[in-house]
Amino acid sequence: MLTELSIQDFAIIDDISITFNDGLTVLTGETGAGKSIIIDAIQLLAGGRGSVDYVRHGTKKATIEGLFFISNNHHPIYRTGNEFGIEIQDEQVVLQRIITSSGKSICRVNGKLVTLAILREFGKTLIDIHSQHETQSLMDVDHHIDFLDMYDYKAIEETKTEYRKIYDALETVKRKYRKLNDNEQEMAQRLDLLQFQQQELEQAHLQPEEDNEIEEEIHQLANYEKLHKALNDAYYALYGEQRGLDFVKQAQLALESNQDVDPFITEKNEEIANHFYALEELAYSLRNHLDELQYNPERLNELEQRKDELNKLKRKYGTTVEEMLAYLAKIDEEVEQITNRDTHVNALVAEIEELEKDAMLEAEQLHHLRKLAAENLVNEIHQELKDLYLENASFAIDFEDAAPLKLTKKGYDKVRFLISTNVGEPLKDLSKVASGGELSRFMLALKKIFSKHQGITSVIFDEVDTGVSGRVAQAIAEKMHQVSIDSQVLCITHLPQVAAMADTHKFIRKNEKANRTYTSVQELNESEQIDELSRMITGTKLTDTAKNHAKEMLELASNFKVKN
């Protein structure tokens, strides 16, 4: 859930930090106080489109930061984190969005800079905002099949995963087929190019690690004098009269003549003898290497030429000899495929036919499972609509029949949610139903069902209760509470019925100081909540009747929550 929200220099907000709890949190306040601005900030945090107009006048940037706690170890956010290389520790995710006065947008997830597109990927797994003017994923026909799959995840996912494996293999083989089945002219030109590259690389007689060995030998030849002097000085410092080994030998002989006198002398005599032989062996190694060391300017020139040759090839085929050899192996394989094109094409056609059969079998099983899930979903939504006093509404899930069946990454099904809100009206696409109180209630019914399936951490309603009153308002309040059981719910409302159902009530106020307007947020206690509900019932004037009504609403809401 969204635990902390920090907003700085955003619209009329100068600097506020808001703590949110689980359950249902309502935001109330006068029109223009900044309620929707807070929702706008959360929407930007989830990857929404920004604008320099959001930056508070006279400041350089607007900053929004949100802390989310993820208690579910199987939450989709972990999959998203792995995909983009962002570690999620201690069940916490921090999203940050900065919009500068010059129009630049800076995004971070857990302190790591990301693009806006990546921020949006994280945001959509954490936050779902619904307003009267905002088209959500439930309104997108392309997403309807995903919601159906989520509804019966346990039954569908295994078959869906198996289908996806076969489909991905099928697409890979199809790509190979298309590549081999290009027109003859392009294929001939491609073959000429590959054979030229193949010949050029083969004539180079590349050897593994050759470039590194050349560099090492060039370095030695270029530093011949330094190497010769170092080896020579080291050797003569050890070997010869009045040299290192001579003195070590004298020390060993001095101890050897008295080793019977003291066991300590015997021990040290053996140690010096061992060191002498080791140093003598080292001196011989230095001398042998010195004898082998030769300065050959012709060899240096030869190596330089070979290095230039390899560098020219590297500019075309790879940064190392190993990469060029790997590219040559790839060329050999492709040349063989093109040369024996007909054989490979026939093999790929046979493989495609076999994979298509397997994929179709899995797709048919998916279709069957989806049909069963659709029946249950339709029944459940109809029950939710009755609870929201939409007894005359009809909901259906349409499986578009297309001939021939076309396999996609989701199977061959095309699914649409259809709705009719009045008796005698035909079913229409959900996306084409006019907005208003009926649409708000239908969306709330869907949210109630899908909140536990989507895995969304926070569901936000921005004045979706506009245009309703009375018993419908009470039904909406009760339904929002039910949604909040599975997901944290934040709601901007002008309905006292909804506000009374809140687990946490925050009051948004607009203030003026030093000729500037700013927004403040206050969490109401029980007494303050009664006053705010009274104001929502009667307007600005608080009456005893309104207060008694507010207390009664709170009591009824409390009883409902206990029973549910």
Side-chain angles (χ1 to χ4, degrees):
M1 69 175 186
L2 175 61
T3 303
E4 290 283 339
L5 178 67
S6 174
I7 308 173
Q8 294 178 332
D9 298 325
F10 184 79
I12 62 172
I13 297 174
D14 58 349
D15 188 357
I16 61 171
S17 292
I18 310 173
T19 300
F20 291 103
N21 303 313
D22 56 4
L24 174 60
T25 297
V26 298
L27 309 177
T28 65
E30 295 293 344
T31 301
K35 303 184 298 298
S36 291
I37 292 175
I38 293 174
I39 302 303
D40 289 341
I42 297 174
Q43 190 169 19
L44 286 176
L45 198 61
R49 182 175 296 178
S51 168
V52 293
D53 295 332
Y54 284 124
V55 181
R56 184 171 169 83
H57 177 68
T59 63
K60 295 182 179 179
K61 63 183 180 181
T63 303
I64 309 157
E65 195 166 36
L67 170 63
F68 296 81
F69 272 100
I70 314 297
S71 58
N72 179 7
N73 292 332
H74 301 289
H75 193 279
I77 195 72
Y78 289 98
R79 194 161 55 245
T80 305
N82 289 334
E83 181 180 354
F84 296 106
I86 296 176
E87 189 175 1
I88 298 173
Q89 294 181 332
D90 302 324
E91 300 180 338
Q92 296 183 31
V93 177
V94 178
L95 304 184
Q96 185 189 64
R97 179 84 178 271
I98 297 173
I99 299 175
T100 67
S101 56
S102 62
K104 293 181 179 179
S105 186
I106 303 168
C107 310
R108 290 185 175 89
V109 177
N110 281 358
K112 183 176 180 180
L113 282 169
V114 297
T115 63
L116 181 57
I118 293 176
L119 179 69
R120 192 176 295 120
E121 290 297 314
F122 280 88
K124 73 182 184 182
T125 67
L126 296 171
I127 303 169
D128 187 18
I129 301 176
H130 177 63
S131 69
Q132 285 192 309
H133 308 292
E134 183 73 18
T135 301
Q136 294 295 299
S137 53
L138 280 171
M139 300 290 283
D140 188 341
V141 174
D142 292 337
H143 289 162
H144 290 176
I145 192 171
D146 298 324
F147 284 112
L148 180 59
D149 290 350
M150 278 191 290
Y151 175 73
D152 203 358
Y153 178 86
K154 290 182 179 179
I156 292 175
E157 185 60 23
E158 184 177 351
T159 302
K160 190 176 179 180
T161 300
E162 187 60 32
Y163 169 79
R164 188 61 184 268
K165 289 179 182 177
I166 298 172
Y167 179 80
D168 288 344
L170 175 61
E171 288 299 297
T172 299
V173 176
K174 282 183 175 180
R175 282 193 295 271
K176 291 180 180 178
Y177 173 80
R178 286 193 295 269
K179 189 174 180 181
L180 273 179
N181 212 34
D182 286 341
N183 67 62
E184 294 289 340
Q185 184 178 2
E186 288 183 2
M187 196 59 63
Q189 291 172 349
R190 176 68 176 166
L191 182 59
D192 285 344
L193 174 62
L194 292 174
Q195 287 176 335
F196 170 79
Q197 294 177 339
Q198 185 183 45
Q199 184 179 10
E200 188 173 29
L201 287 169
E202 287 176 347
Q203 289 178 348
H205 301 294
L206 299 173
Q207 299 297 323
E209 296 293 331
E210 180 183 4
D211 46 353
N212 295 328
E213 292 171 1
I214 287 173
E215 286 288 351
E216 184 178 346
E217 191 174 351
I218 287 175
H219 180 76
Q220 287 183 352
L221 288 172
N223 293 277
Y224 170 81
E225 291 185 4
K226 291 181 180 179
L227 289 172
H228 188 277
K229 184 176 187 305
L231 291 168
N232 190 68
D233 290 351
Y235 173 71
Y236 281 106
L238 290 172
Y239 202 80
E241 288 189 18
Q242 299 299 306
R243 300 290 181 176
L245 279 172
D246 195 24
F247 288 120
V248 173
K249 187 63 176 178
Q250 289 179 23
Q252 188 256 325
L253 291 173
L255 293 177
E256 186 177 31
S257 61
N258 294 284
Q259 60 182 334
D260 296 334
V261 179
D262 188 341
F264 175 78
I265 292 177
T266 303
E267 178 185 348
K268 296 308 173 185
N269 173 60
E270 291 178 358
E271 288 185 19
I272 290 179
N274 290 335
H275 288 310
F276 173 81
Y277 295 128
L279 287 170
E280 188 176 44
E281 183 66 29
L282 175 61
Y284 293 153
S285 297
L286 292 173
R287 184 190 63 193
N288 292 337
H289 194 72
L290 187 62
D291 292 340
E292 293 173 359
L293 192 64
Q294 295 179 357
Y295 180 66
N296 187 343
E298 292 182 0
R299 175 61 178 164
L300 180 60
N301 185 55
E302 178 185 322
L303 290 170
E304 291 287 358
Q305 289 179 353
R306 180 60 173 171
K307 179 181 176 181
D308 289 342
E309 181 184 0
L310 293 179
N311 286 338
K312 288 177 182 178
L313 292 173
K314 285 179 180 180
R315 285 194 286 270
K316 292 192 286 185
Y317 303 119
T319 58
T320 66
V321 169
E322 278 63 37
E323 288 183 11
M324 291 192 288
L325 288 170
Y327 184 70
L328 177 58
K330 184 179 177 182
I331 288 174
D332 291 341
E333 181 180 354
E334 191 172 351
V335 167
E336 193 275 331
Q337 286 184 346
I338 296 175
T339 305
N340 301 285
R341 177 171 165 270
D342 291 342
T343 301
H344 286 286
V345 166
N346 292 335
L348 289 173
V349 168
E351 190 174 358
I352 288 171
E353 290 175 353
E354 191 65 29
L355 286 170
E356 281 181 339
K357 289 179 183 177
D358 293 342
M360 188 60 70
L361 287 174
E362 292 295 335
E364 287 173 358
Q365 178 64 13
L366 260 183
H367 176 74
H368 174 70
L369 293 173
R370 284 168 176 158
K371 280 282 191 178
L372 294 176
E375 288 183 28
N376 295 329
L377 177 57
V378 168
N379 292 333
E380 193 170 344
I381 285 181
H382 277 143
Q383 184 57 53
E384 296 292 337
L385 294 177
K386 287 179 182 178
D387 294 344
L388 291 165
Y389 300 103
L390 283 172
E391 301 92 341
N392 296 324
S394 295
F395 174 76
I397 298 177
D398 176 49
F399 286 78
E400 296 182 20
D401 295 324
L405 296 175
K406 183 180 179 181
L407 295 174
T408 71
K409 63 182 179 181
K410 297 178 182 179
Y412 61 66
D413 292 316
K414 289 186 177 181
V415 173
R416 292 186 304 154
F417 290 173
L418 303 178
I419 181 72
S420 171
T421 55
N422 297 296
V423 174
E425 291 293 321
L427 290 163
K428 297 180 182 179
D429 284 347
L430 178 62
S431 58
K432 295 179 180 178
V433 176
S435 62
E438 290 176 332
L439 180 58
S440 296
R441 279 180 279 168
F442 182 74
M443 294 299 295
L444 187 56
L446 290 175
K447 297 285 186 183
K448 163 64 171 60
I449 294 171
F450 284 121
S451 60
K452 59 177 176 274
H453 297 289
Q454 283 179 272
I456 297 294
T457 301
S458 303
V459 180
I460 300 173
F461 296 100
D462 185 2
E463 299 187 20
V464 296
D465 49 22
T466 300
V468 298
S469 59
R471 63 176 189 169
V472 175
Q474 183 61 35
I476 286 178
E478 292 172 357
K479 197 62 64 179
M480 283 191 179
H481 165 72
Q482 292 171 348
V483 174
S484 72
I485 294 173
D486 295 300
S487 298
Q488 177 192 48
V489 174
L490 310 180
C491 173
I492 292 177
T493 185
H494 291 287
L495 292 178
Q497 293 94 329
V498 175
M501 195 64 69
D503 298 303
T504 306
H505 190 150
K506 294 185 182 292
F507 181 69
I508 315 301
R509 180 183 286 110
K510 184 166 63 175
N511 306 282
E512 292 183 8
K513 185 172 70 175
N515 295 322
R516 290 301 302 269
T517 301
Y518 64 95
T519 294
S520 62
V521 180
Q522 175 188 358
E523 185 170 321
L524 303 183
N525 58 32
E526 185 177 355
S527 174
E528 293 166 336
Q529 190 177 13
I530 291 171
D531 288 345
E532 173 60 7
L533 288 175
S534 301
R535 183 194 64 77
M536 295 175 73
I537 294 169
T538 63
T540 56
K541 185 177 180 179
L542 300 182
T543 65
D544 290 339
T545 301
K547 286 189 174 184
N548 289 333
H549 190 188
K551 291 177 183 177
E552 184 178 0
M553 291 178 71
L554 286 173
E555 185 176 348
L556 290 171
S558 178
N559 291 336
F560 176 82
K561 286 190 279 188
V562 169
K563 292 178 182 178
N564 290 270

